Amino acid sequence: MKPEIMDRVLLRGGIVIDPQKQTARRADVLVANGKIDAVGTNLERRTPSDVEVVDCRGKHIASGFADMHCHLREPGREDEETVASGTAAALAGGFTRVCPMPNTDPAIDTEAQIRFQIRRAAEAGFARVHPIGCCTKGRQGKELAEIGSMVEAGAVGFSDDGSPVADAQVMRRVLEYCKAFDVPVISHCEVRELVEGVANEGRVSTRLGLKAGPDVAESAQAARDVLLAEFTQARLHIAHVSARATVDVIRWAKARGVQVTAETCPHYFTLTEDALAGFDTNCKVNPPLRSEEDRRAVIAGLADGTIDVIATDHAPHLKGEKDAEFDAAPAGIIGFETAFSLGYEKLVMGEVLSLVDYIARLTVVPRRILNLPAAAITAGSEAELVVLDLKAEWTFESERVRSLSRNSPFLGWTMHGRISAALLADRLFRF
Ligand SMILES: [Zn+2]
Ligand SMILES: [Zn+2]
């Protein structure tokens, strides 16, 4: 995936989406030397002839998306994903900034490792990386990690994702520590004692004979953590909300004034546990796909703002490992290249969110939570733009996947809306 290096680019005739002003209006965007030079109508007339024109008529222009939650497998499992391959896949999905979780091998719990991931991404030149550091050393849930020095190195949030912080006293300390640095604690909510396997406990798991865990394994920890966040006055972010009761807990906490935010992922508002009927291990995710009632509650949570953000939880695994029995296969699916389209279909075409609000959940909201620079399409800002073709229909085929892994339940699906180009400073990518 090679960019064209361009001194001047004119994105001509697109509809510019600005979630901050809540507007979508037709305009040209002129980029010169990596920066937005002007936004307005008929810029072509005022532009020198050496400008590269990208025809955006019938298309939309938005700030690059920020993914708060993904897994790049470097260091440790570079066969599944590297920082370079993952950030290329992310960019092709419209994500210009991604936040990898620290459950690599070894886990990211030092300043040097944070710097390593950021450097790797800069060398690759695709999406930028803002790492999430471990809350506790080695993700062991016992001793606090070096949170302060990791913040200094560029970590933007802290989580032991993949594992919960089981000990409430440790979680309290993590919240207090992160509060001092104004960074959120991202909670993977799972009471492990309640979980026997990664399927939703209920009608489907019983019928299929799968080891399961109940929704209360998620919602009970979410309840504990929002209460701890209230007590410590710290910022808490709930990862991958999948259950109706979790949505209710977060809604209740927000009404009390707790500083809690939340994300869900496209699979939780697109699929249900019924997808497990064929024992397809590409439907095995943690938390598990749940009931239709849960799926609807997640959508209602997005609609009323209880759930703030759409993240991918992009989790690459090789086919060899996913080709195991359901109970034994690793959990997780890739998500960078399908997230935008799935959300566009279910939420915008499904009339849950306006297009502008949907784009906000991918751009300004995650940036605000993580203290990243605001996404602005205004003169003087660095170009970090995506061109969206909402009329396009395309099929997610294995051969076109840019991730090193192919574990997706959406292979073969035809979807609406795709990313047709991305512009990062002076680097133009066409997809
Ligand atoms: Zn998780
Ligand atoms: Zn995750």
Side-chain angles (χ1 to χ4, degrees):
M1 207 168 96
K2 276 229 158 60
E4 303 161 60
I5 308 296
M6 297 288 175
D7 288 344
R8 289 165 196 278
V9 179
L10 181 68
L11 303 178
R12 189 183 64 190
I15 296 168
V16 175
I17 301 172
D18 184 338
Q20 272 163 149
K21 295 194 198 120
Q22 286 283 311
T23 57
R25 63 187 177 95
R26 189 171 305 280
D28 300 334
V29 179
L30 176 65
V31 173
N33 304 314
K35 288 208 159 127
I36 296 177
D37 189 71
V39 183
T41 44
N42 297 322
L43 290 185
E44 200 168 14
R45 287 190 212 140
R46 296 198 264 134
T47 310
S49 55
D50 64 343
V51 71
E52 173 77 14
V53 176
V54 179
D55 185 358
C56 296
R57 284 173 299 177
K59 295 180 180 164
H60 288 72
I61 298 167
S63 290
F65 311 152
D67 185 7
M68 285 189 70
H69 187 153
C70 67
H71 298 268
L72 306 177
R73 300 300 191 194
E74 187 174 354
R77 287 304 306 269
E78 291 84 351
D79 53 335
E80 290 182 330
E81 198 79 285
T82 63
V83 171
S85 68
T87 52
L91 187 60
F95 295 95
T96 54
R97 295 174 190 256
V98 299
C99 302
M101 286 294 175
N103 64 337
T104 47
D105 186 14
I108 307 283
D109 62 0
T110 65
E111 177 189 347
Q113 288 164 293
I114 297 286
R115 292 193 203 282
F116 166 80
Q117 281 200 323
I118 294 171
R119 192 173 63 238
R120 273 293 212 235
E123 286 161 4
F126 304 121
R128 277 183 220 207
V129 156
H130 302 281
I132 307 297
C134 289
C135 305
T136 66
K137 284 185 182 159
R139 297 171 58 246
Q140 296 294 309
K142 297 194 171 78
E143 243 183 292
L144 253 58
E146 301 286 341
I147 289 170
S149 62
M150 282 192 274
V151 169
E152 217 160 275
V156 295
F158 290 86
S159 181
D160 282 354
D161 186 49
S163 307
V165 177
D167 184 320
Q169 173 73 335
V170 173
M171 189 61 169
R172 173 188 174 173
R173 297 280 176 244
V174 168
L175 285 160
E176 287 170 342
Y177 223 84
C178 285
K179 184 191 173 196
F181 295 97
D182 187 32
V183 286
V185 177
I186 304 174
S187 181
H188 167 112
C189 293
E190 182 182 8
V191 179
R192 281 275 162 89
E193 296 84 344
L194 290 167
V195 174
E196 285 174 6
V198 185
N200 184 44
E201 185 176 316
R203 183 180 51 84
V204 173
S205 68
T206 305
R207 180 160 54 84
L208 300 177
L210 295 174
K211 290 197 178 130
D215 59 357
V216 69
E218 175 181 298
S219 55
Q221 182 158 355
R224 183 201 76 173
D225 286 353
V226 296
L227 289 168
L228 286 172
E230 179 174 55
F231 179 70
T232 56
Q233 307 250 299
R235 287 207 285 141
L236 173 73
H237 179 79
I238 306 284
H240 41 52
V241 173
S242 71
R244 185 179 79 158
T246 311
V247 179
D248 292 342
V249 163
I250 297 163
R251 190 179 285 120
W252 172 83
K254 284 188 167 184
R256 278 172 77 90
V258 179
Q259 296 182 74
V260 59
T261 53
E263 76 196 22
T264 191
C265 316
H267 36 285
Y268 299 117
F269 58 72
T270 306
L271 299 173
T272 67
E273 57 192 346
D274 289 322
L276 271 47
F279 298 96
D280 179 1
T281 56
N282 284 333
C283 295
K284 180 171 177 179
V285 284
N286 188 20
L289 300 174
R290 299 201 194 269
S291 70
E292 175 63 12
E293 198 185 0
D294 292 303
R295 190 187 74 84
R296 284 173 189 270
V298 166
I299 289 178
L302 282 163
D304 73 4
T306 300
I307 299 177
D308 304 82
V309 164
I310 296 151
T312 67
D313 201 1
H314 175 87
H317 290 292
L318 290 184
K319 188 168 185 309
E321 290 165 305
K322 277 286 196 180
D323 279 348
E325 273 188 52
F326 196 90
D327 287 337
I333 62 175
I334 55 170
F336 285 144
E337 296 169 77
T338 50
F340 172 76
S341 304
L342 291 168
Y344 178 66
E345 270 187 24
K346 288 287 168 203
L347 305 176
V348 181
M349 294 172 74
E351 297 184 350
V352 177
L353 299 176
S354 70
L355 177 63
V356 174
D357 198 9
Y358 174 53
I359 296 296
R361 308 307 181 91
L362 292 165
T363 56
V364 293
V365 183
R367 286 166 191 247
R368 194 162 56 220
I369 294 168
L370 298 170
N371 304 330
L372 301 182
I377 309 183
T378 48
S381 318
E382 186 171 315
E384 187 178 334
L385 303 166
V386 289
V387 179
L388 312 172
D389 183 355
L390 301 180
K391 293 187 194 107
E393 275 187 51
W394 63 286
T395 303
F396 187 48
E397 282 156 350
S398 184
E399 309 81 73
R400 63 183 290 162
V401 175
R402 287 181 174 85
S403 170
L404 293 183
S405 295
R406 302 279 182 278
N407 51 310
S408 170
F410 304 113
L411 286 171
W413 281 39
T414 296
M415 306 188 201
H416 289 86
R418 56 181 291 272
I419 314 300
S420 65
L423 186 58
L424 287 181
D426 60 354
R427 287 163 288 153
L428 174 65
F429 298 83
R430 299 180 206 251
F431 303 114

